[in-house]
């Protein structure tokens, strides 16, 4: 009796039915006549998109020829994810089998053991899933810097990674080499591209006020005002608890900020009336900016209403929640606050990180006069130019 094995695999982000059957033209010709049957060059197999109806039709079609249909592997899989599209990350992870799946689990455990942040573990893990799929069945002693370089070139080229993402990718692979010491990867010779020195986008104080005035929803306005007035990161905003706001001392306690550090920042005096109004209106219990059901507010929702408020305020700059933090730091420096104090308020580990704001602060630059202004002033002075013609008139002769 001819045996046809049906199983699941993920292809193009969706569950598919994989068909395995013995070689032979007659069997292959009959099975290939089934509607919508496709062949995957990547996985070297025939497959069908999964649905309950397609599965039932396929089963009946195979039994018509008295083929033995082995679908035990399909029965053993939990039915919950079968009827929904899986995420790209889930699809990648489902491609890891046997030894590679165990290595991935060991890698994640290693990152967690280093007490890296949840976001860092997730980002690095995504890179290593791609790396393990790229490696296929290679043994650890065959994985060297040349293999890494080919993988990095392919990934960076195909996905058009930014320099910062490229640097994160190399960091993820370095951790992989530290965990799996049997590999031939030389960590010290892995090169990361130089960090970009882009100046952050900064709003003027007038633009900040316009932004807040154009935010009608009280909760939304409260969130944006906190981001700017206290220089918060978005993760710090949505993790801020009611108990962390000290109205008497006009301070906000930031717990477990970046680098797992606690710090105090200022509660703006002008924010207090809005804060009291907000507390009476919404009555948050645990988190100051509460989401549905009293949980944390979604970061994506903050970005969405910030974008709408910028549109209403006519702000054309590319503004993110972090832009408000950049603006806070820049305005502090422009108002004469020392670099050391700004570093403490922002929670930066190194002063070099804070010093970027000295490049965009206008405090000293505003006192510098352009050579063109000097030339025009001299031109307009009566003793230098009796006719006192304007610059535009001079050019129009």
């Amino acid at each position: 009796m001819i045996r046809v094995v049906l199983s699941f695999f993920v292809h193009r982000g969706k569950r598919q039915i994989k068909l395995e059957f013995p070689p032979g033209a007659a069997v292959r010709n009959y099975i290939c006549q089934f509607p919508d049957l496709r062949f995957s060059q990547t996985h070297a197999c025939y497959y069908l998109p999964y649905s309950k109806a397609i599965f039932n039709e396929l089963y009946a079609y195979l039994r018509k020829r008295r083929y033995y249909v082995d679908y035990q592997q399909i029965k053993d899989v939990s039915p919950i994810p079968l009827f929904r599209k899986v995420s790209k990350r889930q699809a990648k992870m489902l491609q890891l089998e046997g030894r590679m799946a165990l290595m991935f689990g060991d890698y994640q455990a290693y990152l967690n053991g280093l007490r890296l942040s949840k976001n860092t573990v997730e980002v690095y893990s995504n890179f290593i899933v791609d790396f393990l799929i790229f490696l296929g069945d290679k043994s650890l002693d065959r994985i060297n810097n040349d293999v890494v370089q080919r993988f990095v070139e392919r990934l960076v080229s195909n996905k058009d990674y930014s320099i910062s993402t490229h640097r994160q990718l190399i960091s993820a692979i370095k951790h992989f080499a530290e965990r799996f010491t049997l590999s031939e990867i030389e960590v010290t010779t892995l090169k990361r591209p130089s960090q970009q020195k882009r100046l952050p986008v900064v709003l003027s104080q007038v633009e900040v006020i316009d932004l807040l005035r154009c935010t009608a929803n009280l909760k939304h306005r409260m969130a944006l005002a906190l981001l700017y007035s206290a220089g918060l990161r978005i993760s710090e905003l949505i993790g801020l608890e009611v108990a962390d706001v000290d109205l008497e001392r006009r301070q906000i306690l930031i717990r477990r900020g970046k680098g797992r550090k606690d710090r105090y920042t200022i509660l703006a005096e002008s924010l207090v009336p809005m804060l009291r109004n907000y507390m009476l209106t919404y009555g948050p219990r645990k988190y100051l900016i509460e989401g549905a059901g009293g949980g944390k507010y979604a970061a994506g929702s903050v970005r969405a209403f910030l974008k709408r408020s910028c549109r209403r305020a006519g702000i054309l700059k590319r503004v993110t929640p972090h832009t408000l933090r950049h603006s806070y730091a820049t305005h502090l420096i422009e108002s004469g606050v020392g670099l050391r104090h700004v570093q403490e308020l922002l929670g930066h580990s190194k002063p070099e990180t804070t010093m970027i704001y000295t490049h965009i602060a206008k405090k000293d630059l505003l006192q510098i006069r352009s050579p063109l202004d000097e030339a025009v002033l001299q031109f307009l002075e009566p003793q230098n130019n009796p006719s006192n013609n304007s610059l535009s008139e001079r050019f129009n002769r």
Side-chain angles (χ1 to χ4, degrees):
M1 183 179 288
I2 292 173
R3 182 169 175 263
V4 180
V5 179
L6 305 182
S7 60
F8 280 126
F9 78 111
V10 177
H11 185 51
R12 296 178 179 174
K14 294 182 180 179
R15 288 273 176 131
Q16 316 285 356
I17 303 174
K18 178 181 179 182
L19 289 82
E20 296 176 273
F21 48 87
V27 179
R28 186 175 65 253
N29 289 341
Y30 178 73
I31 290 178
C32 287
Q33 290 174 28
F34 189 83
D36 296 325
L37 187 74
R38 304 164 194 173
F39 185 79
S40 167
Q41 296 287 349
T42 305
H43 299 278
C45 69
Y46 287 96
Y47 72 96
L48 285 161
Y50 176 81
S51 75
K52 193 172 182 179
I54 290 176
F55 173 77
N56 291 337
E57 288 176 20
L58 177 64
Y59 181 84
Y61 181 77
L62 296 173
R63 290 298 298 151
K64 200 179 286 185
R65 279 286 179 97
R66 298 188 181 280
Y67 293 164
Y68 173 73
V69 183
D70 181 351
Y71 60 96
Q72 185 63 43
Q73 293 180 54
I74 289 180
K75 287 197 297 184
D76 289 343
V77 176
S78 170
I80 296 172
L82 304 184
F83 301 96
R84 69 176 184 224
K85 184 175 179 179
V86 296
S87 67
K88 287 184 178 180
R89 187 184 178 197
Q90 288 172 323
K92 287 179 184 177
M93 290 178 66
L94 287 167
Q95 293 182 50
L96 299 179
E97 297 178 351
R99 185 173 63 90
M100 290 303 185
L102 291 173
M103 286 175 66
F104 179 72
D106 287 347
Y107 178 77
Q108 283 197 310
Y110 175 70
L111 297 184
N112 288 320
L114 294 175
R115 303 299 292 270
L116 300 181
S117 71
K118 183 180 176 181
N119 286 341
T120 302
V121 171
E122 185 173 349
V123 170
Y124 286 6
S125 297
N126 285 337
F127 289 134
I128 296 304
V129 169
D130 285 325
F131 187 46
L132 291 173
I133 292 171
F134 175 80
L135 294 177
D137 58 355
K138 275 190 175 70
S139 59
L140 279 172
D141 58 0
R142 292 175 56 203
I143 304 170
N144 54 29
N145 285 41
D146 289 337
V147 174
V148 171
Q149 186 60 35
R150 287 198 298 274
F151 166 70
V152 170
E153 287 171 359
R154 176 187 293 188
L155 205 62
V156 171
S157 173
N158 290 349
K159 300 196 176 183
D160 194 24
Y161 279 159
S162 65
I163 287 178
S164 60
T165 306
H166 188 167
R167 288 172 61 85
Q168 287 179 317
L169 168 61
I170 299 300
S171 296
I173 294 174
K174 283 187 174 184
H175 281 299
F176 178 88
E178 289 166 1
R179 170 61 185 85
F180 300 104
T181 54
L182 292 178
S183 76
E184 295 297 317
I185 299 173
E186 292 287 341
V187 175
T188 55
T189 59
L190 287 178
K191 293 182 180 179
R192 289 186 293 188
S194 301
Q195 205 162 10
Q196 284 181 308
K197 295 185 178 180
R198 282 186 181 175
L199 294 179
V201 175
V202 170
L203 298 178
S204 69
Q205 289 175 312
V206 173
E207 287 174 321
V208 171
I209 297 300
D210 286 344
L211 178 67
L212 295 177
R213 291 173 63 186
C214 290
T215 307
N217 183 285
L218 178 58
K219 181 185 283 191
H220 297 173
R221 189 162 68 250
M222 187 75 233
L224 297 183
L226 280 168
L227 284 170
Y228 171 70
S229 67
L232 303 183
R233 301 178 178 94
I234 190 167
S235 59
E236 295 168 349
L237 170 74
I238 61 180
L240 189 64
E241 298 184 10
V242 175
D244 297 332
V245 180
D246 190 337
L247 276 171
E248 296 299 320
R249 299 186 64 183
R250 299 296 193 260
Q251 286 183 327
I252 299 173
L253 173 61
I254 308 300
R255 300 179 188 273
R256 298 175 298 280
K258 193 172 182 180
R260 296 188 295 276
K261 294 184 299 182
D262 292 354
R263 76 178 191 278
Y264 279 104
T265 187
I266 52 178
L267 172 63
E269 191 70 41
S270 56
L271 199 64
V272 173
M274 188 198 302
L275 180 59
R276 293 187 191 278
N277 183 17
Y278 169 76
M279 296 293 289
L280 287 171
T281 305
Y282 287 92
R285 294 180 178 274
K286 182 179 180 182
Y287 296 106
L288 186 64
I289 308 296
E290 279 187 342
K296 283 187 178 181
Y297 205 82
S301 298
V302 178
R303 295 187 181 96
F305 67 67
L306 172 59
K307 189 175 181 180
R308 291 195 298 269
S309 294
C310 285
R311 194 160 49 241
R312 292 192 201 102
I315 297 172
L316 301 180
K317 297 173 182 176
R318 187 179 179 276
V319 179
T320 67
H322 216 69
T323 303
L324 296 175
R325 177 174 160 90
H326 291 321
S327 304
Y328 164 83
T330 305
H331 296 160
L332 281 179
I333 291 173
E334 287 179 349
S335 63
V337 178
L339 202 65
R340 177 61 182 159
H341 292 306
V342 176
Q343 180 187 344
E344 288 291 330
L345 290 168
L346 293 174
H348 286 162
S349 300
K350 301 177 182 177
E352 292 82 5
T353 311
T354 315
M355 285 185 68
I356 189 172
Y357 299 110
T358 62
H359 296 292
I360 48 179
K362 299 186 299 180
K363 180 172 174 286
D364 297 324
L365 293 177
L366 287 175
Q367 299 175 16
I368 302 173
R369 193 189 296 275
S370 167
L372 177 62
D373 291 339
E374 294 286 353
V376 170
L377 280 175
Q378 288 189 28
F379 179 81
L380 293 178
E381 287 178 0
Q383 63 270 26
N384 295 335
N385 183 29
S387 62
N388 200 27
N389 289 329
S390 69
L391 183 62
S392 59
E393 288 172 344
R394 183 78 172 179
F395 285 149
N396 287 333
R397 286 185 176 182

